[in-house]
Amino acid sequence: GAVVSQHPSWVICKSGTSVKIECRSLDFQATTMFWYRQFPKQSLMLMATSNEGSKATYEQGVEKDKFLINHASLTLSTLTVTSAHPEDSSFYICSASVFPGQGMGKLFFGSGTQLSVL
Amino acid sequence: QQPVQSPQAVILREGEDAVINCSSSKALYSVHWYRQKHGEAPVFLMILLKGGEQKGHDKISASFNEKKQQSSLYLTASQLSYSGTYFCGTERVDSSYKLIFGSGTRLLVRP
């Protein structure tokens, strides 16, 4: 099956620093990747849709200057949390759709990144 | 707009059945179901594309009523491994190619 690798699994950083999270599709090409954010015991909130070679599409209320997304290749998308603050602490998880042709194909998720900002 | 799931939580004894519902106020193209265990990534269960479509594997099945914009997930003869949080994800007709997840239903199966 399709595998999505996400790194790091967890990161602790000081307030004001930037953190980069990588999401790779290991055995398939993902033209589209999705970034979600999840607070404890809550749902997955879509942050943005990442398209290879073009700008990401952000959901309403998501600050694109704070959450920089780059999808430079068909197998790699990165999320950079810039000038992180404690309220940015959360579980960030990426996913990729294998067959986006007829509507959404099933999503394969990375293992997620737990970010803690001190 | 996030789809609404019910119930929020359910506790079962092994072998019992459960139904989880998902409804949207918007017209849907598809409904997805995922299960997430604590500290892990969500795992795909199934996609339903057409109105009235039903799918299933093993003892987990689902239905999708396109006219009512509702889907239900049926868990029969539950097993301990079914414990986790179940999310429905909806793809709207007016906003396709992205999945918006419901609030989740926490399921605990006890021996």
Side-chain angles (χ1 to χ4, degrees):
Chain A
V3 177
V4 175
S5 175
Q6 185 173 343
H7 293 281
S9 297
W10 56 269
V11 58
I12 301 173
C13 69
K14 291 182 178 180
S15 186
T17 60
S18 295
V19 174
K20 180 184 282 189
I21 302 169
E22 291 190 349
C23 181
R24 294 179 184 274
S25 56
L26 297 185
D27 51 0
F28 66 100
Q29 293 182 331
T31 55
T32 303
M33 290 186 176
F34 304 90
W35 287 94
Y36 288 88
R37 182 176 184 178
Q38 186 176 35
F39 291 104
K41 299 183 181 179
Q42 293 190 26
S43 185
L44 299 136
M45 302 303 297
L46 179 63
M47 298 176 66
T49 302
S50 169
N51 298 295
E52 186 268 334
S54 64
K55 292 183 179 180
T57 303
Y58 290 81
E59 293 300 301
Q60 191 173 12
V62 178
E63 298 178 62
K64 55 184 174 183
D65 292 333
K66 177 168 219 23
F67 300 100
L68 299 178
I69 292 172
N70 182 271
H71 195 152
S73 75
L74 287 171
T75 60
L76 175 64
S77 176
T78 61
L79 167 67
T80 301
V81 183
T82 62
S83 186
H85 290 284
E87 58 265 29
D88 298 324
S89 299
S90 186
F91 187 62
Y92 294 87
I93 189 164
C94 69
S95 64
S97 178
V98 178
F99 302 110
Q102 185 181 5
M104 284 288 299
K106 62 182 177 180
L107 291 180
F108 291 92
F109 285 88
S111 53
T113 298
Q114 181 63 53
L115 171 64
S116 295
V117 185
L118 304 178
Chain B
Q1 285 172 322
Q2 190 179 35
V4 177
Q5 277 186 243
S6 63
Q8 289 185 325
V10 59
I11 300 174
L12 299 174
R13 290 213 176 269
E14 202 171 4
E16 292 181 337
D17 302 340
V19 180
I20 299 172
N21 300 302
C22 174
S23 64
S24 172
S25 60
K26 302 289 185 180
L28 301 177
Y29 184 80
S30 68
V31 177
H32 299 217
W33 286 96
Y34 291 80
R35 177 173 62 211
Q36 184 181 31
K37 293 185 180 284
H38 181 68
E40 299 180 8
V43 173
F44 171 80
L45 294 177
M46 63 189 78
I47 297 175
L48 300 111
L49 288 174
K50 301 175 184 177
E53 183 179 30
Q54 294 196 37
K55 276 190 174 180
H57 60 85
D58 198 9
K59 295 173 183 173
I60 300 176
S61 61
S63 62
F64 175 30
N65 186 320
E66 185 180 16
K67 290 182 180 179
K68 292 184 178 181
Q69 291 117 231
Q70 294 175 345
S71 178
S72 295
L73 184 71
Y74 307 95
L75 305 164
T76 58
S78 59
Q79 306 169 15
L80 296 177
S81 61
Y82 287 3
S83 293
T85 302
Y86 289 78
F87 292 101
C88 68
T90 54
E91 182 185 11
R92 287 166 38 177
V93 170
D94 63 352
S95 183
S96 59
Y97 294 101
K98 66 180 181 181
L99 215 55
I100 305 299
F101 286 94
S103 49
T105 296
R106 299 176 70 187
L107 176 71
L108 175 63
V109 180
R110 292 178 171 173

